[in-house]
Amino acid sequence: MESLELSFTLAYVAFSLCFVFTPNEFRSAGLTIQNLFSCWLGSEDVSFIQYHVKRTSVTVLVHSTLPLGYYMGMCITATEKTLGHIHQVNSSWTAFLLLSLCLQLFSWMLVIYWSHYHWHNHPICRALQSHIRPPHTNWNSVMTSINSEFRRIDKFATGAPGARVIITDSWVLKVATYHIYMALQSECHVTVTDSRQHQLSPDSASPTQILTLRVDSINPAVRPFDIRLNSREYAELREKLHAPIRNSANVVIHLTISELFLETFRAQVDLNQSYTLPTGQVLYCFCNCYVRKGKSPD
């Protein structure tokens, strides 16, 4: 029976991690917040901000039920522990149950607080309020601006549904699990702070370089945030991004597969031993011409 409990625990932990961080396999199977609650969330293309206000709220509620779901699963798996009879369980399981219930209660109270005054207290709506300035007279006007620009087909968008980077004509947006970070292009500057090379990628057979860009705004109410994207998408981002982009020292950006090949080729050539060309020997080149040492080609 202990092995059954351990197997359930490992399986539930793996499921919870995949449900929270959502790998491609879970997206393909439709096991995402966006798919499970699509009827209530509505259309992202029609009402971008409203969609993510609802999505982040239901995400908080669903994720907070995971500990309680584990306890209920153990009630079925470990029947000898009599977890269904609260007065008979030991103190550790009682504490776990109370913490799970408190977490669930707190998440509901938080979402109810957010929903007051037409979601005025929601973190996304508070972020919109940071951009109230002419021509926007209130946060609903800011929301309308973002919704309108998101509907345009010329926007730049990359990343998974719950972790996207979106560049519109006026806005830099980062969609996270529980929030949307936003900055006006006219008020921000972008810095390439880091790059990481991944030899293995689920989406490509070739090495992948992931860039980290930091978005800073002159608006003191807007907190800096980081965005990440594939280096092959960097050129497209630069075309859409009107804000200045600075490159930190020692950060090399590979824009194409050809550049990755050239760097690998040079590194391999550097490993070869140097060869001294004897006097008078002809050196043939790839361009079907030859160079004689000490002389230019005829």
Side-chain angles (χ1 to χ4, degrees), residues 262-274:
L262 289 175
E263 181 180 355
T264 306
F265 183 80
R266 291 191 189 100
Q268 186 63 39
V269 170
D270 290 339
L271 296 177
N272 298 335
Q273 296 181 353
S274 59

Side-chain angles (χ1 to χ4, degrees), residues 44-75:
E44 182 186 39
D45 293 329
V46 175
S47 304
F48 175 79
I49 293 296
Q50 295 92 324
Y51 175 90
H52 285 286
V53 166
K54 293 180 180 179
R55 179 191 62 80
T56 52
S57 299
V58 73
T59 298
V60 169
L61 294 177
V62 172
H63 287 180
S64 66
T65 63
L66 292 175
L68 186 59
Y70 174 73
Y71 184 91
M72 296 176 65
M74 287 297 292
C75 289

